[in-house]
Short mmCIF file of all heavy atoms in Angstrom, two decimals:
data_model
loop_
_atom_site.label_atom_id
_atom_site.label_comp_id
_atom_site.label_asym_id
_atom_site.label_seq_id
_atom_site.Cartn_x
_atom_site.Cartn_y
_atom_site.Cartn_z
N LEU A 1 -43.89 -4.04 77.57
CA LEU A 1 -44.31 -3.67 76.22
C LEU A 1 -45.70 -3.04 76.23
O LEU A 1 -45.94 -2.06 75.53
CB LEU A 1 -44.30 -4.91 75.31
CG LEU A 1 -42.91 -5.46 74.99
CD1 LEU A 1 -43.01 -6.80 74.30
CD2 LEU A 1 -42.13 -4.48 74.15
N TRP A 2 -46.59 -3.60 77.01
CA TRP A 2 -47.95 -3.06 77.04
C TRP A 2 -47.98 -1.68 77.67
O TRP A 2 -48.76 -0.85 77.28
CB TRP A 2 -48.89 -4.01 77.78
CG TRP A 2 -49.19 -5.25 77.00
CD1 TRP A 2 -50.18 -5.39 76.07
CD2 TRP A 2 -48.52 -6.48 77.04
NE1 TRP A 2 -50.15 -6.65 75.53
CE2 TRP A 2 -49.14 -7.35 76.12
CE3 TRP A 2 -47.43 -6.96 77.77
CZ2 TRP A 2 -48.72 -8.65 75.91
CZ3 TRP A 2 -47.02 -8.27 77.56
CH2 TRP A 2 -47.67 -9.09 76.64
N ALA A 3 -47.10 -1.42 78.64
CA ALA A 3 -47.07 -0.12 79.31
C ALA A 3 -46.32 0.93 78.51
O ALA A 3 -46.39 2.11 78.82
CB ALA A 3 -46.43 -0.27 80.69
N GLY A 4 -45.59 0.51 77.48
CA GLY A 4 -44.87 1.46 76.65
C GLY A 4 -43.50 1.84 77.18
O GLY A 4 -42.88 2.75 76.67
N HIS A 5 -43.01 1.15 78.22
CA HIS A 5 -41.69 1.46 78.76
C HIS A 5 -40.56 1.02 77.83
O HIS A 5 -39.48 1.58 77.88
CB HIS A 5 -41.50 0.81 80.14
CG HIS A 5 -42.40 1.36 81.19
ND1 HIS A 5 -42.31 2.64 81.68
CD2 HIS A 5 -43.43 0.79 81.84
CE1 HIS A 5 -43.24 2.84 82.58
NE2 HIS A 5 -43.95 1.73 82.70
N LEU A 6 -40.84 0.01 77.02
CA LEU A 6 -39.85 -0.46 76.05
C LEU A 6 -40.34 -0.17 74.65
O LEU A 6 -41.53 -0.30 74.37
CB LEU A 6 -39.64 -1.98 76.19
CG LEU A 6 -39.08 -2.49 77.51
CD1 LEU A 6 -39.09 -4.01 77.53
CD2 LEU A 6 -37.68 -1.97 77.73
N GLY A 7 -39.43 0.18 73.77
CA GLY A 7 -39.81 0.41 72.39
C GLY A 7 -40.06 -0.88 71.64
O GLY A 7 -40.79 -0.89 70.65
N GLY A 8 -39.51 -1.97 72.11
CA GLY A 8 -39.68 -3.25 71.47
C GLY A 8 -38.82 -4.29 72.15
O GLY A 8 -37.99 -3.97 72.99
N ALA A 9 -39.02 -5.54 71.76
CA ALA A 9 -38.25 -6.63 72.33
C ALA A 9 -38.20 -7.78 71.35
O ALA A 9 -39.07 -7.92 70.49
CB ALA A 9 -38.88 -7.10 73.65
N VAL A 10 -37.17 -8.59 71.50
CA VAL A 10 -37.03 -9.83 70.72
C VAL A 10 -36.80 -10.94 71.73
O VAL A 10 -35.91 -10.84 72.57
CB VAL A 10 -35.83 -9.75 69.74
CG1 VAL A 10 -35.66 -11.07 69.01
CG2 VAL A 10 -36.01 -8.60 68.77
N LEU A 11 -37.63 -11.98 71.67
CA LEU A 11 -37.51 -13.10 72.60
C LEU A 11 -37.20 -14.38 71.84
O LEU A 11 -37.82 -14.68 70.83
CB LEU A 11 -38.81 -13.30 73.38
CG LEU A 11 -39.26 -12.17 74.30
CD1 LEU A 11 -40.58 -12.54 74.96
CD2 LEU A 11 -38.20 -11.87 75.35
N ASP A 12 -36.25 -15.11 72.36
CA ASP A 12 -35.91 -16.42 71.82
C ASP A 12 -36.44 -17.52 72.75
O ASP A 12 -36.59 -18.64 72.33
CB ASP A 12 -34.39 -16.54 71.67
CG ASP A 12 -33.97 -17.89 71.15
OD1 ASP A 12 -34.52 -18.30 70.10
OD2 ASP A 12 -33.12 -18.54 71.76
N VAL A 13 -36.70 -17.16 73.99
CA VAL A 13 -37.18 -18.11 74.99
C VAL A 13 -38.39 -17.51 75.67
O VAL A 13 -38.44 -16.31 75.93
CB VAL A 13 -36.08 -18.38 76.04
CG1 VAL A 13 -36.57 -19.34 77.12
CG2 VAL A 13 -34.82 -18.93 75.38
N ALA A 14 -39.37 -18.34 75.94
CA ALA A 14 -40.58 -17.89 76.64
C ALA A 14 -40.98 -18.96 77.65
O ALA A 14 -40.52 -20.10 77.59
CB ALA A 14 -41.71 -17.64 75.65
N ASP A 15 -41.85 -18.57 78.56
CA ASP A 15 -42.36 -19.52 79.54
C ASP A 15 -43.87 -19.41 79.56
O ASP A 15 -44.38 -18.32 79.83
CB ASP A 15 -41.79 -19.20 80.91
CG ASP A 15 -42.20 -20.22 81.96
OD1 ASP A 15 -42.53 -21.36 81.59
OD2 ASP A 15 -42.17 -19.88 83.16
N PRO A 16 -44.58 -20.44 79.20
CA PRO A 16 -44.12 -21.79 78.89
C PRO A 16 -43.60 -21.86 77.46
O PRO A 16 -43.80 -20.95 76.66
CB PRO A 16 -45.39 -22.63 79.03
CG PRO A 16 -46.50 -21.70 78.63
CD PRO A 16 -46.06 -20.34 79.15
N GLU A 17 -42.93 -22.95 77.17
CA GLU A 17 -42.41 -23.14 75.84
C GLU A 17 -42.77 -24.54 75.35
O GLU A 17 -42.50 -25.50 76.07
CB GLU A 17 -40.89 -22.98 75.85
CG GLU A 17 -40.31 -22.82 74.47
CD GLU A 17 -38.88 -22.36 74.52
OE1 GLU A 17 -38.62 -21.18 74.81
OE2 GLU A 17 -38.01 -23.21 74.28
N PRO A 18 -43.37 -24.68 74.23
CA PRO A 18 -43.78 -23.61 73.30
C PRO A 18 -44.99 -22.85 73.84
O PRO A 18 -45.76 -23.37 74.64
CB PRO A 18 -44.14 -24.37 72.02
CG PRO A 18 -44.56 -25.72 72.48
CD PRO A 18 -43.74 -26.01 73.72
N LEU A 19 -45.12 -21.62 73.37
CA LEU A 19 -46.25 -20.81 73.80
C LEU A 19 -47.55 -21.38 73.23
O LEU A 19 -47.61 -21.70 72.05
CB LEU A 19 -46.11 -19.37 73.30
CG LEU A 19 -45.09 -18.49 74.00
CD1 LEU A 19 -45.03 -17.13 73.31
CD2 LEU A 19 -45.42 -18.32 75.46
N PRO A 20 -48.58 -21.49 74.05
CA PRO A 20 -49.87 -21.93 73.54
C PRO A 20 -50.43 -20.93 72.52
O PRO A 20 -50.09 -19.75 72.56
CB PRO A 20 -50.76 -21.99 74.79
CG PRO A 20 -49.85 -21.92 75.95
CD PRO A 20 -48.59 -21.26 75.49
N ALA A 21 -51.29 -21.38 71.66
CA ALA A 21 -51.83 -20.54 70.58
C ALA A 21 -52.47 -19.26 71.11
O ALA A 21 -52.34 -18.20 70.52
CB ALA A 21 -52.84 -21.33 69.76
N GLY A 22 -53.15 -19.29 72.23
CA GLY A 22 -53.84 -18.11 72.74
C GLY A 22 -53.05 -17.26 73.71
O GLY A 22 -53.58 -16.31 74.29
N HIS A 23 -51.77 -17.54 73.90
CA HIS A 23 -50.95 -16.81 74.87
C HIS A 23 -50.87 -15.33 74.51
O HIS A 23 -50.77 -14.96 73.33
CB HIS A 23 -49.55 -17.42 74.94
CG HIS A 23 -48.78 -17.01 76.15
ND1 HIS A 23 -48.16 -15.79 76.25
CD2 HIS A 23 -48.54 -17.66 77.31
CE1 HIS A 23 -47.55 -15.71 77.43
NE2 HIS A 23 -47.78 -16.85 78.09
N ARG A 24 -50.88 -14.46 75.51
CA ARG A 24 -50.89 -13.00 75.25
C ARG A 24 -49.62 -12.50 74.58
O ARG A 24 -49.63 -11.45 73.92
CB ARG A 24 -51.17 -12.24 76.54
CG ARG A 24 -50.05 -12.28 77.56
CD ARG A 24 -50.44 -11.64 78.88
NE ARG A 24 -50.59 -10.21 78.76
CZ ARG A 24 -49.98 -9.32 79.54
NH1 ARG A 24 -49.20 -9.72 80.51
NH2 ARG A 24 -50.17 -8.04 79.37
N LEU A 25 -48.50 -13.20 74.71
CA LEU A 25 -47.28 -12.74 74.04
C LEU A 25 -47.42 -12.72 72.52
O LEU A 25 -46.78 -11.92 71.84
CB LEU A 25 -46.07 -13.61 74.42
CG LEU A 25 -45.44 -13.30 75.78
CD1 LEU A 25 -44.30 -14.28 76.06
CD2 LEU A 25 -44.94 -11.87 75.84
N TRP A 26 -48.28 -13.59 71.96
CA TRP A 26 -48.51 -13.57 70.51
C TRP A 26 -49.10 -12.24 70.05
O TRP A 26 -48.96 -11.86 68.90
CB TRP A 26 -49.43 -14.72 70.09
CG TRP A 26 -48.82 -16.07 70.21
CD1 TRP A 26 -49.25 -17.09 71.02
CD2 TRP A 26 -47.69 -16.58 69.51
NE1 TRP A 26 -48.45 -18.19 70.86
CE2 TRP A 26 -47.47 -17.91 69.94
CE3 TRP A 26 -46.82 -16.05 68.56
CZ2 TRP A 26 -46.44 -18.70 69.45
CZ3 TRP A 26 -45.80 -16.85 68.08
CH2 TRP A 26 -45.62 -18.15 68.51
N ARG A 27 -49.76 -11.54 70.96
CA ARG A 27 -50.41 -10.27 70.62
C ARG A 27 -49.66 -9.06 71.18
O ARG A 27 -50.16 -7.93 71.10
CB ARG A 27 -51.85 -10.27 71.14
CG ARG A 27 -52.71 -11.35 70.51
CD ARG A 27 -54.14 -11.36 71.05
NE ARG A 27 -54.23 -11.42 72.51
CZ ARG A 27 -54.09 -12.52 73.25
NH1 ARG A 27 -53.84 -13.68 72.66
NH2 ARG A 27 -54.20 -12.48 74.56
N ALA A 28 -48.50 -9.24 71.75
CA ALA A 28 -47.75 -8.15 72.37
C ALA A 28 -47.31 -7.14 71.32
O ALA A 28 -46.84 -7.51 70.25
CB ALA A 28 -46.55 -8.68 73.13
N PRO A 29 -47.46 -5.85 71.64
CA PRO A 29 -47.01 -4.83 70.69
C PRO A 29 -45.48 -4.79 70.60
O PRO A 29 -44.79 -4.94 71.61
CB PRO A 29 -47.56 -3.53 71.29
CG PRO A 29 -47.70 -3.82 72.75
CD PRO A 29 -48.02 -5.29 72.86
N ASN A 30 -44.98 -4.61 69.40
CA ASN A 30 -43.55 -4.44 69.16
C ASN A 30 -42.70 -5.60 69.69
O ASN A 30 -41.62 -5.39 70.21
CB ASN A 30 -43.05 -3.12 69.75
CG ASN A 30 -43.74 -1.94 69.13
OD1 ASN A 30 -44.06 -1.94 67.96
ND2 ASN A 30 -44.02 -0.92 69.92
N LEU A 31 -43.22 -6.81 69.55
CA LEU A 31 -42.48 -7.99 70.01
C LEU A 31 -42.21 -8.92 68.83
O LEU A 31 -43.10 -9.21 68.04
CB LEU A 31 -43.28 -8.75 71.07
CG LEU A 31 -42.64 -10.05 71.56
CD1 LEU A 31 -41.34 -9.78 72.30
CD2 LEU A 31 -43.61 -10.80 72.45
N VAL A 32 -40.98 -9.37 68.73
CA VAL A 32 -40.60 -10.37 67.76
C VAL A 32 -40.30 -11.64 68.54
O VAL A 32 -39.47 -11.63 69.46
CB VAL A 32 -39.36 -9.94 66.94
CG1 VAL A 32 -38.90 -11.07 66.03
CG2 VAL A 32 -39.64 -8.69 66.15
N LEU A 33 -40.98 -12.72 68.20
CA LEU A 33 -40.72 -14.02 68.81
C LEU A 33 -39.98 -14.88 67.80
O LEU A 33 -40.43 -15.03 66.66
CB LEU A 33 -42.04 -14.71 69.17
CG LEU A 33 -42.83 -14.11 70.32
CD1 LEU A 33 -44.22 -14.72 70.39
CD2 LEU A 33 -42.09 -14.34 71.63
N SER A 34 -38.86 -15.42 68.21
CA SER A 34 -38.14 -16.33 67.33
C SER A 34 -38.20 -17.73 67.94
O SER A 34 -38.29 -17.87 69.15
CB SER A 34 -36.69 -15.88 67.13
OG SER A 34 -35.95 -16.02 68.32
N PRO A 35 -38.17 -18.74 67.09
CA PRO A 35 -38.26 -20.10 67.63
C PRO A 35 -37.00 -20.46 68.40
O PRO A 35 -35.89 -20.25 67.91
CB PRO A 35 -38.43 -20.97 66.38
CG PRO A 35 -37.81 -20.17 65.29
CD PRO A 35 -38.05 -18.72 65.64
N HIS A 36 -37.19 -20.97 69.57
CA HIS A 36 -36.06 -21.40 70.39
C HIS A 36 -35.74 -22.83 69.99
O HIS A 36 -36.46 -23.76 70.31
CB HIS A 36 -36.43 -21.32 71.87
CG HIS A 36 -35.33 -21.71 72.78
ND1 HIS A 36 -35.54 -22.20 74.02
CD2 HIS A 36 -33.98 -21.68 72.64
CE1 HIS A 36 -34.40 -22.47 74.61
NE2 HIS A 36 -33.44 -22.18 73.78
N THR A 37 -34.68 -22.98 69.23
CA THR A 37 -34.31 -24.31 68.76
C THR A 37 -32.88 -24.62 69.16
O THR A 37 -32.05 -23.72 69.29
CB THR A 37 -34.42 -24.42 67.23
OG1 THR A 37 -33.53 -23.45 66.64
CG2 THR A 37 -35.82 -24.18 66.74
N ALA A 38 -32.61 -25.84 69.35
CA ALA A 38 -31.25 -26.28 69.62
C ALA A 38 -30.74 -27.01 68.38
O ALA A 38 -31.51 -27.64 67.67
CB ALA A 38 -31.23 -27.22 70.83
N ALA A 39 -29.46 -26.89 68.16
CA ALA A 39 -28.88 -27.56 66.99
C ALA A 39 -29.02 -29.07 67.17
O ALA A 39 -28.43 -29.65 68.07
CB ALA A 39 -27.42 -27.16 66.83
N ASN A 40 -29.83 -29.67 66.34
CA ASN A 40 -30.00 -31.11 66.44
C ASN A 40 -29.58 -31.83 65.16
O ASN A 40 -29.77 -33.02 65.02
CB ASN A 40 -31.44 -31.47 66.82
CG ASN A 40 -32.45 -30.95 65.83
OD1 ASN A 40 -32.09 -30.38 64.82
ND2 ASN A 40 -33.72 -31.13 66.12
N VAL A 41 -29.01 -31.07 64.24
CA VAL A 41 -28.48 -31.64 63.01
C VAL A 41 -26.99 -31.33 63.01
O VAL A 41 -26.60 -30.18 63.21
CB VAL A 41 -29.16 -31.04 61.77
CG1 VAL A 41 -28.55 -31.55 60.49
CG2 VAL A 41 -30.66 -31.28 61.81
N SER A 42 -26.18 -32.31 62.79
CA SER A 42 -24.73 -32.11 62.91
C SER A 42 -24.20 -31.01 62.00
O SER A 42 -23.26 -30.31 62.35
CB SER A 42 -23.99 -33.42 62.66
OG SER A 42 -24.26 -33.89 61.35
N ALA A 43 -24.82 -30.81 60.85
CA ALA A 43 -24.32 -29.80 59.90
C ALA A 43 -24.95 -28.43 60.10
O ALA A 43 -24.61 -27.48 59.40
CB ALA A 43 -24.58 -30.26 58.47
N GLU A 44 -25.86 -28.29 61.08
CA GLU A 44 -26.60 -27.03 61.22
C GLU A 44 -25.68 -25.84 61.47
O GLU A 44 -25.82 -24.81 60.81
CB GLU A 44 -27.62 -27.15 62.36
CG GLU A 44 -28.47 -25.90 62.50
CD GLU A 44 -29.58 -26.06 63.52
OE1 GLU A 44 -29.69 -27.12 64.16
OE2 GLU A 44 -30.34 -25.11 63.68
N ASN A 45 -24.77 -25.95 62.41
CA ASN A 45 -23.91 -24.80 62.72
C ASN A 45 -23.06 -24.39 61.53
O ASN A 45 -22.90 -23.20 61.25
CB ASN A 45 -23.04 -25.09 63.94
CG ASN A 45 -23.84 -25.09 65.22
OD1 ASN A 45 -24.90 -24.48 65.30
ND2 ASN A 45 -23.35 -25.79 66.22
N SER A 46 -22.51 -25.34 60.79
CA SER A 46 -21.68 -24.98 59.63
C SER A 46 -22.54 -24.34 58.54
O SER A 46 -22.09 -23.42 57.85
CB SER A 46 -20.91 -26.18 59.10
OG SER A 46 -21.79 -27.16 58.62
N ARG A 47 -23.79 -24.79 58.38
CA ARG A 47 -24.68 -24.18 57.38
C ARG A 47 -25.03 -22.76 57.77
O ARG A 47 -25.13 -21.88 56.91
CB ARG A 47 -25.94 -25.02 57.21
CG ARG A 47 -25.64 -26.38 56.56
CD ARG A 47 -26.85 -27.25 56.45
NE ARG A 47 -27.79 -26.66 55.49
CZ ARG A 47 -29.04 -27.05 55.37
NH1 ARG A 47 -29.53 -28.01 56.13
NH2 ARG A 47 -29.82 -26.49 54.48
N ILE A 48 -25.23 -22.51 59.07
CA ILE A 48 -25.52 -21.16 59.54
C ILE A 48 -24.33 -20.24 59.28
O ILE A 48 -24.49 -19.11 58.81
CB ILE A 48 -25.89 -21.18 61.04
CG1 ILE A 48 -27.26 -21.84 61.22
CG2 ILE A 48 -25.89 -19.77 61.62
CD1 ILE A 48 -27.62 -22.14 62.66
N ILE A 49 -23.13 -20.72 59.55
CA ILE A 49 -21.92 -19.93 59.29
C ILE A 49 -21.77 -19.67 57.80
O ILE A 49 -21.44 -18.54 57.38
CB ILE A 49 -20.67 -20.62 59.86
CG1 ILE A 49 -20.75 -20.72 61.38
CG2 ILE A 49 -19.39 -19.91 59.43
CD1 ILE A 49 -20.86 -19.38 62.09
N ASP A 50 -22.03 -20.68 56.96
CA ASP A 50 -21.96 -20.48 55.51
C ASP A 50 -22.93 -19.40 55.06
O ASP A 50 -22.60 -18.56 54.21
CB ASP A 50 -22.26 -21.79 54.78
CG ASP A 50 -21.15 -22.82 54.92
OD1 ASP A 50 -20.03 -22.46 55.34
OD2 ASP A 50 -21.43 -24.01 54.64
N MET A 51 -24.14 -19.41 55.62
CA MET A 51 -25.13 -18.40 55.25
C MET A 51 -24.69 -17.01 55.73
O MET A 51 -24.85 -16.01 55.01
CB MET A 51 -26.50 -18.74 55.85
CG MET A 51 -27.59 -17.85 55.33
SD MET A 51 -29.28 -18.23 55.90
CE MET A 51 -29.15 -19.66 56.89
N LEU A 52 -24.12 -16.92 56.93
CA LEU A 52 -23.62 -15.65 57.44
C LEU A 52 -22.53 -15.11 56.53
O LEU A 52 -22.55 -13.92 56.16
CB LEU A 52 -23.09 -15.83 58.86
CG LEU A 52 -22.33 -14.64 59.42
CD1 LEU A 52 -23.27 -13.47 59.66
CD2 LEU A 52 -21.60 -15.02 60.68
N ILE A 53 -21.61 -15.96 56.14
CA ILE A 53 -20.52 -15.52 55.26
C ILE A 53 -21.06 -15.06 53.91
O ILE A 53 -20.63 -14.03 53.37
CB ILE A 53 -19.48 -16.66 55.09
CG1 ILE A 53 -18.75 -16.89 56.42
CG2 ILE A 53 -18.50 -16.35 53.97
CD1 ILE A 53 -17.91 -18.14 56.46
N GLU A 54 -22.03 -15.79 53.36
CA GLU A 54 -22.62 -15.39 52.08
C GLU A 54 -23.34 -14.05 52.21
O GLU A 54 -23.22 -13.18 51.35
CB GLU A 54 -23.59 -16.47 51.57
CG GLU A 54 -24.33 -16.09 50.32
CD GLU A 54 -23.46 -15.82 49.09
OE1 GLU A 54 -22.26 -16.18 49.09
OE2 GLU A 54 -23.98 -15.24 48.13
N ASN A 55 -24.08 -13.86 53.30
CA ASN A 55 -24.77 -12.58 53.50
C ASN A 55 -23.77 -11.45 53.71
O ASN A 55 -23.99 -10.33 53.24
CB ASN A 55 -25.76 -12.65 54.66
CG ASN A 55 -27.18 -12.84 54.19
OD1 ASN A 55 -27.48 -12.72 53.00
ND2 ASN A 55 -28.06 -13.14 55.11
N LEU A 56 -22.70 -11.71 54.41
CA LEU A 56 -21.67 -10.68 54.58
C LEU A 56 -21.07 -10.30 53.23
O LEU A 56 -20.90 -9.11 52.92
CB LEU A 56 -20.58 -11.16 55.53
CG LEU A 56 -19.42 -10.19 55.77
CD1 LEU A 56 -19.93 -8.85 56.32
CD2 LEU A 56 -18.40 -10.81 56.71
N ARG A 57 -20.77 -11.30 52.39
CA ARG A 57 -20.24 -11.02 51.06
C ARG A 57 -21.23 -10.17 50.26
O ARG A 57 -20.86 -9.18 49.63
CB ARG A 57 -19.96 -12.33 50.31
CG ARG A 57 -19.32 -12.13 48.94
CD ARG A 57 -19.39 -13.37 48.07
NE ARG A 57 -20.75 -13.72 47.68
CZ ARG A 57 -21.50 -13.06 46.77
NH1 ARG A 57 -21.00 -11.99 46.15
NH2 ARG A 57 -22.71 -13.47 46.46
N ARG A 58 -22.52 -10.56 50.31
CA ARG A 58 -23.54 -9.81 49.59
C ARG A 58 -23.67 -8.38 50.12
O ARG A 58 -23.82 -7.43 49.34
CB ARG A 58 -24.89 -10.52 49.70
CG ARG A 58 -24.97 -11.79 48.89
CD ARG A 58 -26.27 -12.53 49.17
NE ARG A 58 -26.38 -13.74 48.38
CZ ARG A 58 -27.40 -14.02 47.59
NH1 ARG A 58 -28.42 -13.19 47.50
NH2 ARG A 58 -27.41 -15.14 46.91
N TYR A 59 -23.63 -8.24 51.43
CA TYR A 59 -23.73 -6.91 52.04
C TYR A 59 -22.59 -6.01 51.57
O TYR A 59 -22.80 -4.86 51.19
CB TYR A 59 -23.72 -7.04 53.57
CG TYR A 59 -23.71 -5.72 54.29
CD1 TYR A 59 -24.87 -4.97 54.43
CD2 TYR A 59 -22.52 -5.22 54.83
CE1 TYR A 59 -24.84 -3.74 55.08
CE2 TYR A 59 -22.49 -4.01 55.48
CZ TYR A 59 -23.65 -3.27 55.61
OH TYR A 59 -23.63 -2.06 56.25
N LEU A 60 -21.39 -6.55 51.59
CA LEU A 60 -20.21 -5.76 51.20
C LEU A 60 -20.19 -5.42 49.73
O LEU A 60 -19.55 -4.43 49.34
CB LEU A 60 -18.93 -6.51 51.59
CG LEU A 60 -18.70 -6.67 53.11
CD1 LEU A 60 -17.50 -7.57 53.37
CD2 LEU A 60 -18.54 -5.32 53.78
N THR A 61 -20.87 -6.19 48.89
CA THR A 61 -20.90 -5.90 47.46
C THR A 61 -22.20 -5.24 47.02
O THR A 61 -22.42 -5.03 45.82
CB THR A 61 -20.67 -7.19 46.63
OG1 THR A 61 -21.69 -8.14 46.96
CG2 THR A 61 -19.30 -7.79 46.91
N GLY A 62 -23.08 -4.94 47.99
CA GLY A 62 -24.33 -4.25 47.67
C GLY A 62 -25.41 -5.13 47.07
O GLY A 62 -26.37 -4.63 46.50
N GLU A 63 -25.26 -6.45 47.19
CA GLU A 63 -26.26 -7.37 46.66
C GLU A 63 -27.39 -7.58 47.66
O GLU A 63 -27.24 -7.31 48.85
CB GLU A 63 -25.61 -8.72 46.33
CG GLU A 63 -24.56 -8.66 45.23
CD GLU A 63 -23.89 -10.00 45.04
OE1 GLU A 63 -24.61 -10.99 44.81
OE2 GLU A 63 -22.65 -10.06 45.14
N GLU A 64 -28.50 -8.12 47.16
CA GLU A 64 -29.63 -8.44 48.02
C GLU A 64 -29.26 -9.57 48.96
O GLU A 64 -28.65 -10.55 48.55
CB GLU A 64 -30.84 -8.85 47.16
CG GLU A 64 -32.09 -9.09 47.97
CD GLU A 64 -33.29 -9.41 47.09
OE1 GLU A 64 -33.25 -9.11 45.88
OE2 GLU A 64 -34.25 -9.96 47.63
N LEU A 65 -29.64 -9.43 50.24
CA LEU A 65 -29.35 -10.46 51.23
C LEU A 65 -30.34 -11.60 51.14
O LEU A 65 -31.45 -11.44 50.64
CB LEU A 65 -29.39 -9.86 52.64
CG LEU A 65 -28.45 -8.70 52.92
CD1 LEU A 65 -28.63 -8.21 54.35
CD2 LEU A 65 -27.01 -9.07 52.65
N ILE A 66 -29.93 -12.77 51.63
CA ILE A 66 -30.83 -13.92 51.68
C ILE A 66 -31.42 -14.03 53.08
O ILE A 66 -30.82 -13.59 54.06
CB ILE A 66 -30.10 -15.22 51.29
CG1 ILE A 66 -28.85 -15.43 52.14
CG2 ILE A 66 -29.76 -15.24 49.82
CD1 ILE A 66 -28.15 -16.76 51.90
N ASN A 67 -32.62 -14.59 53.16
CA ASN A 67 -33.31 -14.82 54.43
C ASN A 67 -33.51 -13.54 55.25
O ASN A 67 -33.27 -13.50 56.45
CB ASN A 67 -32.59 -15.86 55.27
CG ASN A 67 -32.66 -17.23 54.66
OD1 ASN A 67 -33.56 -17.52 53.89
ND2 ASN A 67 -31.71 -18.09 54.98
N VAL A 68 -33.95 -12.49 54.59
CA VAL A 68 -34.21 -11.22 55.26
C VAL A 68 -35.56 -11.31 55.99
O VAL A 68 -36.54 -11.80 55.45
CB VAL A 68 -34.21 -10.06 54.24
CG1 VAL A 68 -34.57 -8.75 54.91
CG2 VAL A 68 -32.86 -9.96 53.58
N TYR A 69 -35.59 -10.80 57.22
CA TYR A 69 -36.82 -10.79 58.01
C TYR A 69 -37.86 -9.91 57.34
O TYR A 69 -37.58 -8.79 56.93
CB TYR A 69 -36.51 -10.28 59.43
CG TYR A 69 -37.74 -10.08 60.26
CD1 TYR A 69 -38.43 -11.18 60.78
CD2 TYR A 69 -38.23 -8.82 60.54
CE1 TYR A 69 -39.57 -11.01 61.54
CE2 TYR A 69 -39.37 -8.64 61.30
CZ TYR A 69 -40.02 -9.74 61.81
OH TYR A 69 -41.15 -9.57 62.56
N ASP A 70 -39.09 -10.40 57.22
CA ASP A 70 -40.21 -9.67 56.66
C ASP A 70 -41.19 -9.38 57.79
O ASP A 70 -41.91 -10.28 58.23
CB ASP A 70 -40.88 -10.48 55.56
CG ASP A 70 -42.01 -9.74 54.88
OD1 ASP A 70 -42.56 -8.77 55.46
OD2 ASP A 70 -42.39 -10.13 53.76
N PRO A 71 -41.25 -8.14 58.28
CA PRO A 71 -42.13 -7.83 59.42
C PRO A 71 -43.60 -8.05 59.12
O PRO A 71 -44.38 -8.36 60.03
CB PRO A 71 -41.83 -6.36 59.74
CG PRO A 71 -41.12 -5.83 58.55
CD PRO A 71 -40.50 -6.98 57.83
N GLU A 72 -44.01 -7.94 57.88
CA GLU A 72 -45.42 -8.18 57.55
C GLU A 72 -45.77 -9.65 57.66
O GLU A 72 -46.87 -10.02 58.06
CB GLU A 72 -45.75 -7.66 56.16
CG GLU A 72 -45.74 -6.14 56.09
CD GLU A 72 -46.18 -5.62 54.73
OE1 GLU A 72 -46.88 -6.36 54.01
OE2 GLU A 72 -45.84 -4.48 54.42
N ARG A 73 -44.84 -10.52 57.32
CA ARG A 73 -45.08 -11.96 57.43
C ARG A 73 -44.75 -12.47 58.84
O ARG A 73 -45.23 -13.52 59.24
CB ARG A 73 -44.22 -12.73 56.43
CG ARG A 73 -44.67 -12.55 55.01
CD ARG A 73 -43.79 -13.37 54.11
NE ARG A 73 -44.34 -13.38 52.76
CZ ARG A 73 -43.73 -13.93 51.74
NH1 ARG A 73 -42.57 -14.54 51.90
NH2 ARG A 73 -44.27 -13.88 50.55
N GLY A 74 -43.90 -11.76 59.57
CA GLY A 74 -43.54 -12.17 60.91
C GLY A 74 -42.42 -13.19 60.95
O GLY A 74 -42.16 -13.81 61.96
N TYR A 75 -41.72 -13.36 59.83
CA TYR A 75 -40.57 -14.27 59.80
C TYR A 75 -39.62 -13.87 58.71
O TYR A 75 -39.91 -13.11 57.85
CB TYR A 75 -40.98 -15.74 59.63
CG TYR A 75 -41.69 -16.05 58.34
CD1 TYR A 75 -40.98 -16.41 57.20
CD2 TYR A 75 -43.08 -15.99 58.24
CE1 TYR A 75 -41.62 -16.70 56.02
CE2 TYR A 75 -43.72 -16.28 57.06
CZ TYR A 75 -42.99 -16.63 55.95
OH TYR A 75 -43.65 -16.91 54.78
#
C-alpha cells in the first residue's frame, strides 16, 4: 500500500491481533480494517442473514440500505 502497487486493501485479520494503538497499519493509505470477530452469540449468524435479506429487499426496491459503511467515520 505504501509503495502504491495496490489501489487498496481490506483486512479482517492482522498480526498482531488486536493491533496496538500505534501500529502503522492504522495509518496505511487506502486500507480498511474490519474487526476480526468470531460468532460467540448463538443468534449472531441468523441475525446477520436477516440483515442481509433485508438489505437485499431494500436494494431491489430502491430503498436506503441499513448499516452502510461510512468512509469518513471509518465504519
Side-chain angles (χ1 to χ4, degrees):
L1 291 170
W2 288 274
H5 294 293
L6 297 174
V10 177
L11 297 179
D12 179 52
V13 178
D15 185 23
E17 195 167 286
L19 286 176
H23 197 281
R24 70 186 291 233
L25 281 177
W26 291 117
R27 298 179 307 281
N30 299 325
L31 177 65
V32 174
L33 290 169
S34 68
H36 181 206
T37 60
N40 58 4
V41 176
S42 61
E44 183 174 1
N45 288 336
S46 64
R47 291 177 67 194
I48 290 170
I49 296 300
D50 290 345
M51 188 176 358
L52 170 69
I53 292 169
E54 175 61 15
N55 260 349
L56 178 58
R57 184 196 66 74
R58 288 173 179 235
Y59 175 79
L60 293 173
T61 59
E63 297 175 55
E64 185 176 341
L65 302 179
I66 54 175
N67 292 336
V68 176
Y69 173 74
D70 183 340
E72 290 185 23
R73 289 182 171 174
Y75 63 89

